[in-house]
Amino acid sequence: MATEVERKTDIGPPHYDQFLHPLIKENYGKWQYHETLAPGVLMHHGPAGDIYTVRVSSPRLVSVNFLNAIMDLADKYSDGYFRFTSRNNVEFLLASKDNIEPLKQEVEALGLLVGGTNNAISNVVHTQGWVHCHSAATDASGLVKSVMDELAEYFTSMKLPAKLRVAVACCLNMCGAVHASDIAILGVHRTPPKIDNETLPNLCEIPTTVASCPNNAIRPTSIEGKATVKVDEEKCMYCGNCYTVCPAMPLADPLNDGVSIWVGGKICNARTEPMFTKLAIPYLPNNPPRWPEVTSAVKKIVEIYAANAKPYERVGEWINRIGWPQFFDMAGIEFTKYHLDDFRHAGTTYRRSLHNRY
Amino acid sequence: MKLPLLDQLEEGPWPSFVKDLKEQAKRRPQVGQLLQQLEQSYENRWDYWRGTAINVPGYGGGIIARYSDLGEKFPQVAQFHTIRVIESPGFVYSTEALRQLCDISEDYGAGIMQLHGMTGDILMLGFDNEKMMQASEALMENGWDLGGSGNGMRTIPCCIGPARCEMACYDTLRLTKYLTDKYIGYLHRPEFPYKYKFKLSGCGNDCANSMSRSDMPVIGTWRDDIQVDQEAVARFVEEMEPEWVVRNVTSRCPTRCIHLHGDRIEIDNSNCVRCMHCINVMHLALAPGKDRGVTMLIGGKRTVRSGEMISSVLVPFQKLESDEDYLAFCAIVERIWDFWGEHGNEHERVGEFIDRVGLGTFLDGVGIEPDPQMVANPRSNPYIKFEEYAAPRLEGEPQKGANVLEHEPDRREDYEGS
């Protein structure tokens, strides 16, 4: 194989220099200030001139067909340069202010939305779900579509008290940025894996499977002389690690899998320190294709936040100010035993003061 | 194609992935089968994928293999693997470059992409075993490299940084390229106890979500005073009204170190914690200081095994301008990899490792002096192991300092006998 001799490997990332708009290259590291001209439209000012950004929604899971449409617009309006944000928005980088309106019109004609800047809900970060993940308790793309159909007005406007970051992850591994988002939607498994003792000996390496369990709930055993594993169901926390290394232990359970809602995460250091999301609703039914229970629960939280938080107050900062009792009360969410932490460091979550609220 | 459940996701204001994938199905028939399998998932609330690992020759990661449980019914998605491709730092592209990737994605796979995956890679979906190899070669021929997976350094993402942000306190794109190039072997041939993620943000706003999602966040900051343009302050105060400024800027300062006097801003910089709030709100008038560098943090991660961890401060300030600065930065990284690599348990993230051995032991191991900037507060219990009297617990450990305990994580003992 002649090609193997010349094979190029360990190339690393391409040099970003070649993908920067000439105006960006000139202003690189010299930017002076920016302004938000409209929802989804930013102007950054540098000594070499202004660059205009138009931010556009994207379903994240996109086809070449979708990208071709985006790139045709980039060729037409932004000199062939564009980028993606860490929340999967598309950003066109325009040298001419006059291109903003025609670009917006063409973007909207494609069925996409312009927005996601400042005090808005930006694009939803999410995982693969049933489209491509092996351990998904629910779908991610469909959940995002359903929730954002309800909340689209908060993407295209900037009427929230502060930015609101929503994320979706489809199992307890929380691959989405859900653990530090203002509102997180998380697929949950609630029952231990079911072991297929017939196929397990052929599909799985037993020591690896045993070692994969964070709680040491998996033990080797044998059934009718065949090596397999058993699960101590009391210790299992449904994380799905074993299924990742051993496909003969499916965790999915159509009757009992569902969706949980988490609130108050924040990663930016502004004002208050970064915070993880906290449990708001332990379980809602998994109800495709529109997940009505989830969408209405999320909408309710967004609306009470929008109505009650102060400017620049993120969801977690707002809840810390008003207190969790008031949050549960306002959101109409029942506080249950499942809201009480019982994992490591659980004690750090108990209130150890007389700061009561009534 | 009739898909009674998924069809319901075609309507509504948010872009529909179903509509998009149906269009793509006209170009690549396997996308039709993907949608049919997804429809069945929606119907039965059941996931039909199985995961495993496949590697391209010379690489120990970068391919996420997926096999369908419904391979007989939907043979075109029986093997439907994802290729991770190292992104362009800052997620910037020219249409020419992305069109090349789109062609490879369609020529060999389903023409479905994600820009970008959680780790920062470009994800390309829908390759079978054979095409996956061919696509990987085609990528490399065209100057694109495979991303990371497994127990190695992972692909590095960063915020837009100096390419389009006046807040950036260091060159995030440059460091992304530098680290990836320098450590490309660790990315392609995993040899750590577990994954090691860098994420790079230019300032405390942390647009790369580094603190919660990476083992080693590198975040821009500064040591000197916030730059204040008092004329711009006066214009801002006049426009917004003094009361608004007090309510939304000065009184929101976490240490109350910023004050409004008439139409002037005064800052007690010795108490400024560089949170970015005042600069974010008054960005026409305020800017980060000029003596800039990075804070290196350690140990962020989510759930698996020990639960969530936000990273904590390891090196409060490190300059990152000259070549020497870059080398000093890398020396710290390499000492961490050496120490954690030697003593970390299998599948133990560096944050969990520190949790197990203690930050003091970790600092000894990597040769960094303790600093009060590393803690929220000092210990509040008195069970101190004074080195002068503590017996070495492990042969061959550094003489100085508390020693690493080569025992299983605590929880293992917790469960014994239960």
Side-chain angles (χ1 to χ4, degrees):
Chain A
M1 298 233 298
T3 51
E4 281 208 20
V5 181
E6 299 150 28
R7 193 167 170 258
K8 284 185 270 180
T9 61
D10 287 3
I11 299 157
H15 204 296
Y16 47 89
D17 223 29
Q18 55 188 316
F19 305 142
L20 294 174
H21 191 288
L23 191 54
I24 287 189
K25 238 189 249 181
E26 280 187 68
N27 278 328
Y28 196 95
K30 298 177 204 152
W31 297 100
Q32 288 157 335
Y33 61 85
H34 75 276
E35 281 175 31
T36 306
L37 305 182
V41 184
L42 306 172
M43 182 275 283
H44 284 81
H45 175 79
D50 300 339
I51 197 108
Y52 299 90
T53 300
V54 175
R55 187 177 289 181
V56 173
S57 62
S58 138
R60 180 170 183 264
L61 180 78
V62 296
S63 71
V64 166
N65 195 53
F66 171 96
L67 291 168
N68 280 339
I70 292 290
M71 289 188 291
D72 287 344
L73 294 181
D75 281 334
K76 192 167 170 187
Y77 294 110
S78 60
D79 308 309
Y81 297 98
F82 65 116
R83 72 176 292 263
F84 297 87
T85 68
S86 35
R87 297 192 88 87
N88 316 110
N89 300 285
V90 179
E91 284 186 343
F92 295 95
L93 304 160
L94 320 180
S96 164
K97 200 176 181 178
D98 297 336
N99 280 340
I100 297 173
E101 282 311 314
L103 170 63
K104 275 170 87 170
Q105 281 170 16
E106 289 212 41
V107 161
E108 279 154 15
L110 286 175
L112 306 176
L113 304 174
V114 174
T117 51
N118 294 21
N119 298 345
I121 298 182
S122 193
N123 228 6
V124 177
V125 169
H126 66 92
T127 51
Q128 307 272 21
W130 288 330
V131 175
H132 205 246
C133 185
H134 62 292
S135 64
T138 185
D139 190 35
S141 299
L143 258 175
V144 170
K145 165 75 177 146
S146 303
V147 168
M148 285 312 288
D149 273 342
E150 290 292 319
L151 298 176
E153 60 173 305
Y154 295 104
F155 183 86
T156 53
S157 68
M158 302 189 291
K159 61 185 178 182
L160 288 166
K163 61 171 92 162
L164 187 91
R165 298 291 179 247
V166 182
V168 173
C170 43
C171 84
L172 305 191
N173 283 327
M174 291 184 160
C175 292
V178 303
H179 59 300
S181 297
D182 295 279
I183 299 179
I185 301 164
L186 178 70
V188 289
H189 294 293
R190 302 191 299 165
T191 51
K194 284 160 286 292
I195 299 165
D196 182 347
N197 290 311
E198 287 299 308
T199 60
L200 191 138
N202 300 326
L203 279 175
C204 316
E205 203 179 72
I206 288 173
T208 318
T209 309
V210 168
S212 72
C213 180
N215 283 354
N216 296 292
I218 302 175
R219 295 275 181 240
T221 186
S222 71
I223 293 176
E224 290 166 8
K226 276 176 149 180
T228 182
V229 298
K230 61 180 175 184
V231 174
D232 181 339
E233 300 198 346
E234 217 166 280
K235 288 182 190 171
C236 177
M237 59 182 181
Y238 328 125
C239 69
N241 275 315
C242 53
Y243 183 57
T244 299
V245 299
C246 176
M249 300 177 71
L251 195 63
D253 177 349
L255 279 180
N256 295 302
D257 291 344
V259 178
S260 57
I261 310 286
W262 304 68
V263 295
K266 164 182 181 289
I267 200 55
C268 160
N269 284 266
R271 301 170 303 282
T272 50
E273 292 180 359
M275 297 181 255
F276 280 123
T277 51
K278 318 288 191 302
L279 181 63
I281 305 176
Y283 179 79
L284 291 167
N286 208 4
N287 214 348
R290 279 284 173 185
W291 288 272
E293 298 85 355
V294 176
T295 53
S296 66
V298 171
K299 197 174 182 190
K300 175 101 194 255
I301 294 169
V302 172
E303 283 171 354
I304 58 167
Y305 161 70
N308 293 288
K310 291 180 178 176
Y312 299 105
E313 210 168 45
R314 298 281 293 266
V315 172
E317 296 172 289
W318 164 62
I319 296 174
N320 281 347
R321 176 169 60 80
I322 66 166
W324 287 97
Q326 213 175 164
F327 168 77
F328 280 100
D329 203 34
M330 280 169 134
I333 299 168
E334 189 190 356
F335 188 81
T336 68
K337 180 181 171 184
Y338 302 122
H339 290 91
L340 304 173
D341 197 350
D342 57 3
F343 195 56
R344 289 179 139 207
H345 313 303
T348 59
T349 65
Y350 307 156
R351 176 155 68 81
R352 299 174 193 278
S353 78
L354 279 183
H355 295 186
N356 300 322
R357 291 176 196 249
Y358 300 102
Chain B
M1 195 193 316
K2 279 272 167 254
L3 303 165
L5 294 171
L6 286 173
D7 286 348
Q8 295 176 48
L9 291 172
E10 288 197 56
E11 297 308 313
W14 193 252
S16 169
F17 71 100
V18 175
K19 214 188 259 179
D20 179 34
L21 294 187
K22 276 189 172 179
E23 280 301 312
Q24 185 65 18
K26 294 176 190 162
R27 300 161 68 100
R28 289 293 173 274
Q30 61 265 49
V31 180
Q33 296 207 338
L34 176 73
L35 283 169
Q36 284 172 319
Q37 179 179 317
L38 187 61
E39 175 76 8
Q40 199 164 324
S41 280
Y42 272 50
E43 210 174 291
N44 300 333
R45 298 168 197 200
W46 185 269
D47 190 11
Y48 294 103
W49 297 108
R50 286 174 190 224
T52 179
I54 312 182
N55 287 321
V56 172
Y59 285 73
I63 309 295
I64 309 300
R66 289 286 179 265
Y67 295 92
S68 170
D69 281 341
L70 305 176
E72 283 179 20
K73 194 172 169 189
F74 304 120
Q76 290 170 323
V77 296
Q79 299 167 358
F80 204 76
H81 312 321
T82 287
I83 302 180
R84 290 182 175 170
V85 182
I86 300 179
E87 87 290 2
S88 163
F91 302 135
V92 292
Y93 295 94
S94 66
T95 51
E96 194 192 345
L98 197 63
R99 282 187 206 280
Q100 192 179 53
L101 290 172
C102 284
D103 286 346
I104 295 171
S105 163
E106 269 200 332
D107 287 351
Y108 302 97
I112 300 176
M113 313 228 298
Q114 289 175 340
L115 298 140
H116 296 81
M118 291 299 162
T119 305
D121 299 280
I122 301 161
L123 305 184
M124 293 184 174
L125 277 69
F127 301 87
D128 64 23
N129 291 358
E130 193 190 336
K131 296 273 179 53
M132 179 271 290
M133 295 291 178
Q134 293 167 358
S136 303
E137 296 302 323
L139 284 164
M140 292 182 228
E141 285 300 315
N142 286 287
W144 298 92
D145 205 353
L146 301 190
S149 64
N151 302 344
M153 186 182 92
R154 295 298 185 88
T155 306
I156 305 176
C158 68
C159 71
I160 187 65
R164 202 210 47 203
C165 184
E166 70 274 23
M167 313 289 185
C169 293
Y170 76 103
D171 193 339
T172 51
L173 284 75
R174 180 182 168 206
L175 185 65
T176 301
K177 172 114 180 95
Y178 178 89
L179 289 175
T180 316
D181 285 340
K182 183 169 173 119
Y183 295 126
I184 196 77
Y186 291 103
L187 189 147
H188 286 147
R189 287 164 288 280
E191 55 179 77
F192 297 150
Y194 204 9
K195 63 182 86 168
Y196 197 89
K197 295 184 175 184
F198 287 95
K199 288 192 198 296
L200 315 183
S201 283
C203 77
N205 287 325
D206 197 2
C207 289
N209 285 343
S210 67
M211 281 184 71
S212 63
R213 297 179 65 199
S214 65
D215 301 276
M216 175 148 270
V218 183
I219 304 182
T221 188
W222 66 96
R223 281 189 295 200
D224 56 345
D225 296 353
I226 289 183
Q227 300 183 65
V228 185
D229 175 352
Q230 294 291 5
E231 282 173 26
V233 170
R235 284 195 294 275
F236 185 83
V237 174
E238 192 187 341
E239 190 193 335
M240 304 303 289
E241 303 288 333
E243 196 211 323
W244 190 96
V245 177
V246 170
R247 201 169 60 234
N248 292 299
V249 184
T250 58
S251 71
R252 309 298 284 277
C253 170
T255 58
R256 306 286 185 272
C257 73
I258 180 168
H259 300 281
L260 184 69
H261 296 295
D263 59 2
R264 289 178 64 80
I265 284 282
E266 308 263 320
I267 301 172
D268 168 12
N269 280 283
S270 62
N271 281 310
C272 169
V273 290
R274 281 76 180 160
C275 87
M276 295 299 294
H277 177 70
C278 62
I279 298 175
N280 289 342
V281 180
M282 298 179 63
H283 54 82
L284 297 175
L286 307 177
K290 289 177 177 168
D291 182 13
R292 299 176 178 188
V294 299
T295 300
M296 299 170 72
L297 299 99
I298 188 93
K301 60 175 280 293
R302 187 44 170 169
T303 55
V304 174
R305 300 196 90 98
S306 329
E308 73 279 9
M309 292 181 186
I310 287 182
S311 54
S312 68
V313 172
L314 182 67
V315 178
F317 190 86
Q318 166 70 44
K319 272 284 190 193
L320 215 48
E321 286 163 11
S322 67
D323 291 350
E324 290 72 33
D325 296 338
Y326 273 67
L327 291 175
F329 178 99
C330 290
I332 296 168
V333 170
E334 287 163 22
R335 290 204 301 272
I336 292 168
W337 287 348
D338 278 351
F339 189 63
W340 167 61
E342 189 173 344
H343 300 288
N345 287 335
E346 162 124 357
H347 270 213
E348 188 174 46
R349 296 282 286 267
V350 71
E352 292 166 319
F353 172 65
I354 294 172
D355 231 24
R356 173 164 66 88
V357 304
L359 183 59
T361 301
F362 180 77
L363 293 179
D364 275 347
V366 300
I368 294 176
E369 288 299 313
D371 184 315
Q373 303 247 46
M374 294 172 182
V375 294
N377 49 264
R379 69 194 303 153
S380 53
N381 65 70
Y383 304 123
I384 309 167
K385 295 266 183 194
F386 288 96
E387 284 171 12
E388 302 89 306
Y389 304 103
R393 290 188 187 128
L394 195 68
E395 221 175 317
E397 277 306 294
Q399 289 305 301
K400 183 176 160 288
N403 296 301
V404 180
L405 277 173
E406 277 266 318
H407 65 56
E408 295 296 333
D410 289 346
R411 60 190 176 282
R412 186 160 289 194
E413 290 167 3
D414 294 345
Y415 288 112
E416 233 132 73
S418 64

